């Protein structure tokens, strides 16, 4: 193995804790991991069973800084990166599955790496060491699954691989226990992991919740095509013959008034070339080329003369900030559930199963696309494009992003141009009638006056009895619409024609697939979020794990949800998961309303016998105690009357009884994992036995007590633990320091309060100033009451700074994400006489000392912050840069600048700052050339009101 590989691997995998061991002036104490490793793992496991708190353990398992669920989840597809803990047999005799082995795997993950979960290390020619689980390797490249982000696929071309070898280091990070507050939290975490193992493998899903993946049947795929291709516009059908009776064509009157006339003309001429995957047939394919061009122009002329055309070119896509916001929206609110992801220029990327959008910039202007995004059902009444309930600002931002797309079809029209000629419009109207356009687009010409070229087409009953190889379903050219069907599509439609009446389950499957519900939701093994799209589903609260970002399963949803609630969600847009960035789209009552009755009638669950309630008031009070922090502590995770919990905003307790059916609630409480494999919810009654025997009553009685309490809904009394008193850390003559989680920074935040009412929060994960504020220091209640899982709250108006390390390579800076920069290592801090910390870290061999102090800039003026930074290296380093600010900066003098957030910075350095980048990536940086062995120092003053 090459020495270069050894060096790079060492730098990649060395535990940062060793840095602390090598710096005794900074930290001499043993870490929690080191102390626990010295104990007997079997005894630790026994203590976890006796003293571990399963609720706190569940929170720890899912919280953002540990985030065990990121890798240990059930929906990883092939080549999982970590075991599904619920599938480990608790009764197995394998030494690797014992309680002690579970403890040891957390503390020493690389001691035993289970077969099938090995990773490899790849050294690239550029000197980068990449570690991941191999998914595929061929002559061109190797594809790895990232250990840091399991949903990410890393492709490394073979030409860039210098060396690769099996890794002896587990993908599970070492030192995991050091993310915990104390030994008790470790016992809590182990207790919950043991619970996952025990409740999962021995409990099959309830009846009706099969998890075997399946596809839509050929006949149902055919029915979806029949609806999308609008076959019943010509082949008429009775309402009871098909699961739909209305034609599914866009409102052409809406389009003709708002879209680019040149696009209309191009689309009529060649639907498939203009928009790949279009369902509109080519009606001009039998004409000669010159006739085709003239016919398309004439029809477009007719359409725009019906009610005028308002299209005017504009420059909607010129605002870089709006484009950036639109890009974020497109990839989070749910657009990519159906459409392909797009790059920064909004060009579609290849993604299987996507509905193509084509070149939107040649179709819409900003007004028309905003109008469409705000009310898509006006243009597509049958719900093909759902309403994502965008605000006007969101629609404007999405428009700016989508209208960047260049002209991609490359097709030009050589025939007549669109005009307002009355004679030409009359010719277009006649063609519109003769070609049968009015059969689909019934709102352009009144149906009673519209002749249909295909009016003699057989109705649906005759189609099913006649030959299915002719006309539109043939591969021949003829006087019928050309849908450019593939052989497979023709076979699906033929299967649909031969099929009989649909049962309830088939109607549900067909509806869910037709309206693309299965792109987000799964039902009995049908659909669900694909691996390729998984990373687009995001949450505002990582503590909720997959439950906070992946839409819930629809398996058994009719047995779970009250009918009124289900209709509120499907039709009126009611939501209970505001932490989920992907939105529940609205398809309209006329299109999706029937699904409520189908699900309610079809989904059943075994009925239960409930305990008799002799004294409802007493049982309700018991339920109040159970959900509080002295009982099962439901309020540790669940919202109460829109008041967020300390740790995560799980669904509101006071909406439970209105939302859920009682039979389902009781069965779910007994075995949550059976219904939701990735649930955060721990098992309080495993095997029907209560884990809290000190609470009065058996399992059924305890659950009934909770239900009786929930029946009060919004009038239910607040459980213990909901209302928290604020705390304050007071700063006097010395600085105060608190290492905890801060908003926008995370678990490696270090807050410092300085005398004089100035404060900072330093990000020890990304080596940067995270935020500053004036006034009082912090309220630590979020971490004090929440067992360390919430955020510390700044007691003043905080001013945040950009993410990503401040010191970086000017030529190849790290691409900023939520992780840890690979070349930066935090080395701790040293305290001065007033306990002010000097932060120490290393960047690729450059040692950094970063010291803040309160500073009176004038004799009688307010105290502000002064920051002194010293860099040193054993070898000369050029092309470094230190980020002073991001965004637009106003230069005041040669050494002072005003930032967008109102802060004025004053820089004292040997070189002058410069502005680099554009738009959202614009920065004010200090260029640095560092000589060998000679420290370089500069200072920054921060002044703000």
């Amino acid at each position: 193995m090459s020495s270069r590989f050894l060096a790079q691997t060492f730098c990649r995998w060395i535990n940062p804790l060793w840095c602390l061991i090598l710096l005794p002036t900074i930290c001499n104490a043993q870490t929690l991991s080191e102390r626990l490793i010295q104990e007997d793992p079997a005894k630790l496991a026994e203590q976890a069973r006796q003293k571990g708190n399963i609720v706190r353990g569940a929170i720890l398992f899912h919280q953002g800084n540990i985030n065990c669920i990121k890798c240990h989840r059930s929906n990883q597809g092939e080549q999982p990166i970590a075991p599904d803990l619920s599938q480990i047999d608790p009764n197995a005799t394998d030494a690797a599955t014992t309680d002690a082995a579970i403890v040891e795997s957390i503390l020493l993950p690389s001691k035993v790496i289970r077969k099938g979960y090995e990773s490899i290390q790849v050294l690239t020619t550029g000197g980068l060491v990449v570690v991941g689980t191999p998914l595929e390797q061929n002559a061109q490249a190797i594809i790895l699954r990232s250990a840091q982000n399991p949903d990410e696929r890393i492709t490394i071309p073979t030409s860039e691989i210098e060396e690769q070898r099996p890794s002896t280091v587990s993908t599970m990070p070492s030192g995991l226990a050091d993310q915990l507050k104390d030994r008790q939290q470790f016992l809590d975490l182990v207790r919950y992991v043991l619970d996952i193992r025990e409740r999962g493998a021995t409990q099959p899903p309830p009846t009706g919740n099969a998890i075997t993946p399946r596809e839509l049947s050929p006949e149902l795929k055919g029915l979806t095509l029949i609806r999308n291709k609008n076959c019943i516009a010509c082949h008429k059908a009775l309402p009871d013959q098909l699961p739909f009776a209305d034609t599914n064509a866009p409102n052409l009157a809406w389009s003709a008034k708002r879209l680019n006339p040149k696009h209309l003309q191009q689309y009529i001429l060649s639907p498939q070339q203009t928009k790949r995957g279009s369902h509109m047939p080519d009606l001009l394919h039998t004409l000669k080329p010159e006739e085709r061009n003239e016919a398309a122009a004439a029809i477009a002329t007719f359409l725009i003369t019906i009610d005028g055309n308002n299209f005017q070119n504009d420059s909607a896509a010129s605002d870089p900030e709006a484009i950036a916001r639109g890009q974020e929206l497109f990839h989070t609110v749910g657009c990519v559930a159906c459409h392909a992801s797009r790059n920064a220029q909004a060009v579609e990327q290849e993604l299987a199963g996507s509905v193509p959008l084509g070149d939107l910039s040649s179709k819409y202007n900003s007004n028309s696309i905003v109008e469409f995004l705000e009310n898509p059902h006006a243009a597509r009444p049958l719900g093909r494009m759902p309403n994502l309930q965008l605000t006007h600002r969101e629609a404007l931002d999405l428009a700016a992003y989508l209208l960047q797309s260049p002209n991609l079809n490359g097709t030009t029209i050589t025939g007549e141009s669109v005009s307002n000629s009355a004679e030409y419009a009359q010719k277009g109207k006649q063609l519109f009638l003769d070609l049968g356009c009015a059969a689909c687009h019934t709102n352009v010409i009144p149906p009673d006056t519209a002749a249909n070229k295909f009016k003699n087409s057989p109705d649906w009953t005759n189609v099913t009895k006649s030959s299915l190889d002719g006309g539109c379903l043939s591969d021949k050219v003829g006087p019928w619409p050309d849908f450019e069907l593939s052989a497979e599509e023709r076979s699906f439609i033929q299967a649909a024609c031969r099929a009989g009446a649909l049962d309830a389950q088939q109607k549900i499957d067909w509806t869910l697939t037709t309206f693309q519900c299965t792109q987000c939701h799964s039902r009995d093994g049908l659909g669900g979020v694909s691996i390729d799209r998984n990373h687009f589903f995001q949450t505002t609260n990582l503590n909720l794990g997959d439950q906070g970002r992946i839409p819930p399963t629809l398996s058994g949803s009719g047995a779970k949800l009250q009918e009124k609630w289900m209709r509120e969600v499907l039709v009126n847009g009611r939501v209970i998961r505001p932490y989920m960035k992907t939105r529940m789209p609205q398809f309209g009552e006329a299109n999706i309303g029937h699904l409520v009755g189908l699900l309610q009638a079809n989904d059943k669950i075994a009925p239960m016998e409930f305990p008799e309630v002799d004294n409802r008031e007493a049982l309700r009070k018991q339920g109040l105690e159970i959900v509080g922090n002295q009982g099962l502590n439901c309020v540790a995770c669940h919202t109460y009357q829109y008041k967020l919990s300390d740790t995560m905003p799980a669904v509101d307790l006071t909406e439970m009884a209105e939302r859920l059916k009682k039979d389902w609630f009781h069965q779910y409480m007994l075995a949550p994992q059976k219904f939701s494999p990735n649930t955060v919810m721990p098992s309080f009654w495993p095997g029907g036995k209560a884990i809290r025997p000190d609470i009065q009553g058996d399992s059924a009685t305890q659950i009934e007590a909770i239900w009786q309490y929930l029946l009060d809904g919004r009038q239910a009394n607040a459980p213990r633990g909901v209302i928290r008193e604020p705390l304050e850390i007071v700063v006097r003559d010395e600085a105060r320091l608190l290492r905890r989680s801060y908003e926008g920074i995370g678990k490696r935040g270090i807050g410092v309060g300085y005398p004089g009412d100035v404060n900072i929060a330093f990000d020890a994960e990304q080596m940067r100033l995270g935020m500053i504020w004036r006034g009082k220091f912090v309220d630590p209640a979020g971490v004090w009451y929440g067992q360390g899982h919430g955020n510390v709250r700044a007691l003043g108006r905080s001013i945040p700074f950009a993410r990503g390390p401040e010191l970086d390579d000017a030529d190849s800076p790290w691409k900023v994400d939520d992780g840890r920069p690979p070349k930066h290592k935090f080395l701790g801090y040293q305290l001065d006489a007033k306990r002010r910390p000097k932060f120490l870290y290393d960047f690729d061999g450059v040692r950094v000392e970063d010291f803040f102090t309160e500073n009176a800039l004038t004799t009688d003026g307010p105290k502000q912050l002064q920051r002194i930074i010293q860099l040193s290296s054993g070898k000369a380093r050029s092309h470094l840069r230190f980020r002073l600010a991001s965004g637009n900066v106003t230069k005041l003098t040669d050494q002072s600048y005003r930032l967008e957030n109102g802060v004025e910075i004053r820089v004292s350095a040997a070189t002058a700052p410069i502005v680099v980048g554009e738009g959202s990536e614009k920065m004010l940086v200090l260029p640095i050339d560092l000589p060998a062995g000679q420290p370089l120092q500069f200072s920054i003053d921060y002044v703000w009101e």
Side-chain angles (χ1 to χ4, degrees):
M1 182 165 53
S2 68
S3 59
R4 184 182 183 207
F5 189 86
L6 281 170
Q8 293 284 357
T9 304
F10 178 77
C11 291
R12 169 65 176 80
W13 286 109
I14 184 171
N15 191 323
L17 296 173
W18 286 105
C19 298
L20 300 182
I21 295 172
L22 296 173
L23 293 167
T25 60
I26 302 172
C27 180
N28 294 316
Q30 279 188 314
T31 66
L32 179 60
S33 290
E34 291 169 336
R35 296 197 300 271
L36 292 171
I37 288 170
Q38 296 174 16
E39 297 190 44
D40 182 351
K43 290 183 178 180
L44 277 173
E46 183 180 354
Q47 291 175 14
R49 287 191 177 277
Q50 294 172 352
K51 301 178 181 180
N53 185 298
I54 199 170
V55 177
R56 293 198 299 261
I59 296 167
L60 289 166
F61 189 85
H62 293 85
Q63 73 178 28
N65 68 320
I66 298 178
N67 205 6
C68 309
I69 193 63
K70 178 176 72 173
C71 297
H72 294 285
R73 63 189 190 203
S74 61
N75 61 336
Q76 297 184 62
E78 296 182 0
Q79 300 287 348
I81 202 166
D84 177 357
L85 299 177
S86 68
Q87 299 304 309
I88 298 176
D89 187 351
N91 300 314
T93 58
D94 183 358
T97 63
T98 64
D99 288 3
I102 295 291
V103 170
E104 201 166 52
S105 68
I106 298 173
L107 294 174
L108 296 169
S110 297
K111 182 177 180 180
V112 178
I113 301 176
R114 296 188 60 180
K115 185 175 178 57
Y117 300 97
E118 302 92 344
S119 60
I120 65 170
Q121 299 173 342
V122 177
L123 175 63
T124 70
T125 54
L128 180 67
V129 174
V130 183
V131 181
T133 303
L135 295 177
E136 180 183 345
Q137 185 167 12
N138 51 44
Q140 287 73 42
I142 184 171
I143 302 175
L144 303 177
R145 170 178 272 180
S146 165
Q148 285 71 36
N149 182 3
D151 298 318
E152 180 184 1
R153 303 293 190 270
I154 302 173
T155 301
I156 306 174
T158 303
S159 60
E160 296 179 10
I161 298 176
E162 181 172 314
E163 191 173 347
Q164 73 180 64
R165 59 176 284 112
S167 175
T168 58
V169 179
S170 172
T171 54
M172 182 167 170
S174 60
L176 184 67
D178 297 326
Q179 299 293 323
L180 304 174
K181 184 172 68 173
D182 51 30
R183 188 174 187 277
Q184 181 58 51
Q185 284 197 343
F186 180 77
L187 298 179
D188 296 340
L189 178 63
V190 173
R191 179 67 186 89
Y192 180 68
V193 172
L194 295 177
D195 176 67
I196 295 176
R197 183 193 62 175
E198 290 168 359
R199 70 185 179 181
T202 58
Q203 297 175 344
T207 302
N209 283 14
I211 57 174
T212 303
R214 62 189 179 94
E215 289 190 4
L216 200 67
S217 65
E219 58 269 24
L220 293 184
K221 289 181 180 179
L223 283 176
T224 298
L225 285 168
I226 288 168
R227 182 181 190 270
N228 290 339
K229 305 296 183 185
N230 212 23
C231 301
I232 64 169
C234 299
H235 304 284
K236 301 303 179 185
L238 297 174
D240 60 350
Q241 289 179 301
L242 295 172
F244 53 91
D246 294 322
T247 58
N248 182 30
N251 180 350
L252 201 50
W254 186 98
S255 302
K257 187 177 181 65
R258 295 164 177 83
L259 302 186
N260 187 343
K262 291 183 178 180
H263 169 82
L264 292 173
Q265 183 179 355
Q266 178 65 59
Y267 192 54
I268 294 167
L269 176 69
S270 182
Q272 284 296 329
Q273 277 189 291
T274 307
K275 181 184 176 184
R276 180 173 51 86
S278 171
H279 293 301
M280 176 167 159
D282 184 350
L283 296 172
L284 309 178
H285 64 288
T286 59
L287 301 179
K288 296 177 181 179
E290 62 275 12
E291 294 174 337
R292 287 168 53 86
N293 290 329
E294 185 174 350
I299 294 173
T301 298
F302 159 63
L303 293 175
I304 66 172
T305 55
I306 296 174
D307 194 24
N309 181 269
N310 297 334
F311 182 87
Q312 289 183 340
N313 285 311
D314 57 25
S315 55
S318 60
D319 181 356
E321 292 184 359
I323 290 171
R325 292 192 300 267
Q327 182 176 13
E328 174 72 12
L329 279 169
F330 186 85
H331 291 94
T332 54
V333 299
C335 304
V336 288
C338 297
H339 301 294
S341 61
R342 304 164 83 87
N343 63 16
Q345 291 73 43
V347 178
E348 291 179 308
Q349 308 297 290
E350 289 295 329
L351 189 58
S354 298
V355 177
L357 290 175
D359 177 14
L360 297 177
S361 64
S362 67
K363 178 179 181 180
Y364 294 99
N365 62 13
S366 58
N367 289 334
S368 59
I369 196 170
V370 166
E371 189 175 346
F372 177 76
L373 291 170
E374 290 182 328
N375 184 17
H377 293 165
R380 292 182 171 274
L382 270 291
R384 179 167 166 77
M385 165 71 182
N387 190 332
L388 283 171
Q389 304 181 82
L390 301 168
T391 65
H392 184 63
R393 169 54 60 188
E394 288 174 334
L396 288 170
D397 290 342
L398 265 178
Y401 172 61
L402 294 172
L403 292 183
Q404 295 177 95
S405 182
N407 191 317
L408 302 178
N409 56 64
T411 304
T412 57
I413 301 174
T414 57
E416 299 293 331
S417 299
V418 179
S419 71
N420 291 321
S421 165
E423 181 180 350
Y424 212 52
Q426 183 60 38
K427 179 179 180 180
K429 178 179 180 180
Q430 191 60 49
L431 284 166
F432 192 86
L433 293 169
D434 292 344
L435 292 170
C437 306
C440 293
H441 301 286
T442 56
N443 60 333
V444 175
I445 299 176
D448 56 342
T449 63
N452 185 353
K453 176 182 179 181
F454 306 104
K455 63 182 179 181
N456 295 321
S457 299
D459 65 28
W460 198 254
T461 303
N462 289 332
V463 169
T464 60
K465 295 178 181 178
S466 62
S467 170
L468 296 175
D469 298 321
C472 302
L473 293 179
S474 71
D475 57 0
K476 299 179 177 61
V477 176
W480 45 74
D482 181 10
F483 290 95
E484 297 191 23
L485 297 171
S486 66
E488 184 179 49
E489 288 175 326
R490 286 197 295 270
S491 70
F492 290 154
I493 294 175
Q494 290 163 347
C497 291
R498 298 188 184 100
L502 302 183
D503 60 26
Q505 186 56 57
Q506 287 177 313
K507 290 179 180 178
I508 292 172
D509 285 351
W510 178 85
T511 302
L512 294 178
T513 306
T514 297
F515 289 98
Q516 303 271 47
C517 308
T518 49
Q519 294 292 99
C520 296
H521 301 277
S522 64
R523 178 176 167 85
D524 302 338
L526 179 67
V529 176
S530 68
I531 294 296
D532 291 335
R533 284 182 159 85
N534 191 288
H535 62 288
F536 292 119
F537 289 78
Q538 299 178 23
T539 178
T540 59
N541 194 303
L542 294 175
N543 290 352
L544 283 164
D546 279 1
Q547 270 195 305
R549 64 184 192 87
I550 302 296
T553 179
L554 298 182
S555 299
S557 57
K560 170 185 177 180
L561 299 176
Q562 300 278 8
E563 181 174 357
K564 181 180 179 181
W565 182 276
M566 182 178 282
R567 189 169 297 279
E568 283 287 308
V569 173
L570 288 178
V571 177
N572 297 327
R574 189 165 184 175
V575 296
I576 60 164
R577 296 178 175 87
Y579 45 79
M580 194 174 287
K581 290 189 177 182
T582 302
R583 300 178 185 177
M584 173 67 186
Q586 297 299 292
F587 296 90
E589 165 74 21
N591 302 319
I592 209 81
H594 68 279
L595 190 59
V596 176
L598 285 171
L599 292 170
Q600 292 288 321
N602 187 76
D603 293 350
K604 303 297 180 184
I605 197 170
M608 294 192 68
E609 293 186 7
F610 306 110
E612 293 185 5
V613 179
D614 297 327
N615 187 335
R616 193 232 171 213
E617 183 64 20
L619 202 60
R620 181 183 61 80
K621 288 183 178 179
Q622 182 185 356
L624 173 63
E625 293 300 314
I626 291 175
V627 301
N629 60 7
Q630 301 302 307
L632 296 179
N633 204 13
C634 307
V635 294
C637 299
H638 286 282
T639 302
Y640 167 81
Q641 289 188 350
Y642 303 118
K643 297 182 180 69
L644 301 184
S645 72
D646 291 331
T647 55
M648 56 184 73
V651 291
D652 199 312
L653 287 169
T654 54
E655 291 181 329
M656 293 283 190
E658 179 187 2
R659 188 170 66 94
L660 303 175
K661 293 181 178 178
K662 187 175 180 180
D663 285 336
W664 189 92
F665 175 81
H666 268 259
Q667 295 189 38
Y668 179 84
M669 296 294 280
L670 285 170
Q673 200 78 7
K674 290 168 57 177
F675 293 84
S676 181
N678 290 320
T679 182
V680 179
M681 178 92 166
S683 178
F684 296 113
W685 300 275
K689 184 178 180 181
I691 65 170
R692 287 284 302 272
D694 56 309
I695 298 177
Q696 181 181 355
D698 59 13
S699 297
T701 302
Q702 291 179 10
I703 296 172
E704 182 64 25
I706 296 173
W707 180 258
Q708 292 297 322
Y709 164 73
L710 296 177
L711 284 174
D712 282 350
R714 294 288 176 213
Q715 282 68 52
N717 291 331
R720 290 182 182 178
V722 168
I723 301 173
R724 301 299 193 192
E725 294 298 326
L727 301 175
E728 181 187 350
I729 294 179
V730 178
V731 179
R732 301 192 188 280
D733 297 330
E734 294 183 338
R736 298 294 301 272
L737 184 148
L738 181 62
R739 300 189 66 165
R740 277 289 184 258
S741 178
Y742 290 78
E743 184 69 30
I745 296 176
K747 293 291 183 180
R748 301 196 76 191
I750 303 176
V752 186
Y754 296 88
D757 293 335
V758 287
N759 315 277
I760 72 165
F762 186 83
D763 185 348
E765 178 83 356
Q766 296 192 341
M767 272 51 77
R768 67 182 180 102
L769 174 62
M771 60 182 177
I772 59 176
W773 68 99
R774 294 189 60 184
K776 296 180 179 181
F777 183 31
V778 293
D779 171 11
V783 295
W784 180 268
Y785 292 127
Q787 296 90 38
H789 316 307
N791 285 326
V792 175
R793 181 172 64 90
L795 292 175
R797 183 182 70 87
S798 60
I799 300 174
F801 290 86
R803 295 189 62 80
E806 291 168 310
L807 180 64
D808 211 337
D809 190 308
D811 294 331
S812 57
W814 179 61
K815 184 178 181 181
V816 177
D817 58 28
D818 291 332
R820 183 180 304 175
K823 295 183 180 181
H824 290 72
K825 295 180 177 65
F826 185 60
L827 304 178
Y829 49 83
Q830 297 171 333
L831 301 178
D832 71 356
K834 286 195 173 185
R835 303 192 64 78
R836 293 174 293 208
K838 178 189 293 182
F839 300 108
L840 310 173
Y841 65 90
D842 179 272
F843 166 61
D844 199 22
V846 177
R847 180 182 172 86
V848 184
E849 298 181 7
D850 195 350
F851 181 67
F852 293 81
T853 181
E854 69 279 7
N855 181 38
L857 297 178
T858 61
T859 304
D860 56 352
K863 292 182 178 180
Q864 306 290 347
L865 278 170
Q866 184 179 67
R867 182 182 191 183
I868 301 173
I869 298 165
Q870 179 172 294
L871 311 178
S872 59
S873 175
K875 62 179 182 179
R877 297 295 304 274
S878 59
H879 301 290
L880 299 177
R881 72 182 190 193
F882 190 91
R883 184 185 68 221
L884 300 169
S886 294
N888 292 322
V889 177
T890 303
K891 184 175 181 179
L892 303 176
T893 69
D894 288 342
Q895 292 185 320
S896 63
Y897 304 83
R898 184 170 299 280
L899 313 186
E900 283 183 334
N901 53 25
V903 176
E904 180 184 338
I905 62 171
R906 302 170 185 177
V907 184
S908 177
T911 58
I914 62 172
V915 175
V916 299
E918 295 181 354
S920 61
E921 297 184 358
K922 192 174 183 180
M923 294 186 295
L924 179 70
V925 301
L926 187 67
I928 296 173
D929 288 324
L930 183 62
Q934 298 181 32
L936 183 150
Q937 183 171 294
F938 58 93
S939 68
I940 310 168
D941 291 330
Y942 297 86
V943 185
W944 76 104
E945 295 299 329

